[in-house]
Amino acid sequence: SKSVTNATTDSRNDVSSIKRKESAANNIILIAFKFLLLIMLVTGPSAAASGLLLVIQYWATHTLSTSHNGKIPSPSIAAIWRFSIRHAFFASGHACSFNRLQFSAAFVTTETFEFIRAGTSLFLNTFGWEVLGLFLIWNTVAQTKSYHHYNISAWKWYCWYQVLESVGACISVSLMKRHLMVWAIFAPHFAFSVIFSIITIVFQIIVLLIWSNDIVHQDSLNNTQLKIQQQKGVD
């Protein structure tokens, strides 16, 4: 009866772990959906088609990354999702230029200027697609059992592409520092690239904290199961 009790405890722990991961993935999807609605609110009608297309692209990319057992290279999955996010950024009327900032987004929820609310609305209007893309690609990782190496590799490649973009912007602005259009083209692109990199770094720190917490929880669960198995052997 003791062995049956231990087996029942193991199965309950496995079911609890699976339910916890499914609940976390569903919460990420819910947060991302609400965030998408907020982006569409501050962006206006131009974001409707971009938002719908982004959802379709996410579904296709998520299906490719989870249903082919790692046959599709993770750099390809990360590149596809990176291009999807950049497409949403440009398709919604944005560009890496200060004169293309949609300042009207600062007055979506108010008739008077409020610095914090206006700045937040403008930030979501301009860089919300980048934050949303990080949320969604991490959801693909979170839904994989035990954080499979394939999807973790896709996440690392996604961040690595941002590093390459920032390095390219640094090189271009350094080489073109005496160009006539340096302040109109190259410097704004460098500034946007820096902001994209800061967003990625902040999200990477959050991911590392969540990941390390889950690894500690998984190690604790494995140690508990190992002790139970050792106890079975003694009995």
Side-chain angles (χ1 to χ4, degrees):
S1 61
K2 190 173 183 179
S3 61
V4 173
T5 303
N6 292 334
T8 303
T9 303
D10 292 343
S11 62
R12 287 178 178 176
N13 289 334
D14 293 338
V15 171
S16 177
S17 178
I18 293 173
K19 288 183 177 180
R20 187 174 62 87
K21 290 181 179 181
E22 290 179 350
S23 177
N26 292 333
N27 288 336
I28 293 176
I29 288 290
L30 183 60
I31 293 173
F33 179 72
K34 292 180 178 179
F35 196 77
L36 177 60
L37 294 179
L38 186 59
I39 294 174
M40 294 175 66
L41 174 65
V42 298
T43 304
S46 62
S50 300
L52 177 61
L53 183 59
L54 184 65
V55 171
I56 297 174
Q57 290 171 334
Y58 166 72
W59 172 80
T61 307
H62 179 77
T63 302
L64 286 174
S65 61
T66 57
S67 63
H68 289 76
N69 297 322
K71 293 181 180 180
I72 301 177
S74 54
S76 300
I77 293 295
I80 292 172
W81 190 237
R82 171 62 67 177
F83 283 128
S84 299
I85 294 302
R86 283 294 175 269
H87 174 264
F89 175 78
F90 289 106
S92 55
H94 296 92
C96 294
S97 178
F98 295 123
N99 60 1
R100 295 293 297 274
L101 291 175
Q102 300 176 4
F103 291 103
S104 59
F107 302 94
V108 170
T109 59
T110 179
E111 296 180 355
T112 58
F113 179 79
E114 297 182 13
F115 185 79
I116 296 178
R117 182 182 297 180
T120 303
S121 298
L122 185 59
F123 176 83
L124 292 176
N125 175 276
T126 308
F127 303 105
W129 301 105
E130 183 74 14
V131 179
L132 181 64
L134 290 168
F135 263 114
L136 293 179
I137 193 172
W138 175 247
N139 183 66
T140 301
V141 176
Q143 288 189 7
T144 305
K145 185 178 180 181
S146 299
Y147 297 96
H148 193 274
H149 175 72
Y150 169 70
N151 277 334
I152 286 296
S153 180
W155 166 258
K156 291 180 179 179
W157 274 103
Y158 184 86
C159 296
W160 176 243
Y161 288 145
Q162 180 57 50
V163 173
L164 292 179
E165 180 181 337
S166 301
V167 171
C170 291
I171 294 174
S172 66
V173 78
S174 298
L175 295 177
M176 301 297 179
K177 60 184 178 181
R178 299 186 184 279
H179 194 278
L180 179 64
M181 303 298 291
V182 62
W183 294 109
I185 298 177
F186 302 106
H189 185 271
F190 172 75
F192 274 76
S193 179
V194 169
I195 297 175
F196 286 139
S197 298
I198 292 174
I199 294 173
T200 303
I201 290 171
V202 171
F203 204 88
Q204 175 69 17
I205 293 173
I206 296 174
V207 164
L208 289 176
L209 293 175
I210 296 175
W211 187 18
S212 61
N213 185 36
D214 285 345
I215 289 177
V216 170
H217 177 79
Q218 187 66 32
D219 290 341
S220 176
L221 183 61
N222 292 336
N223 292 333
T224 302
Q225 292 178 349
L226 181 61
K227 291 179 180 179
I228 293 175
Q229 291 176 358
Q230 291 176 350
Q231 186 66 30
K232 289 180 181 179
V234 172
D235 295 340

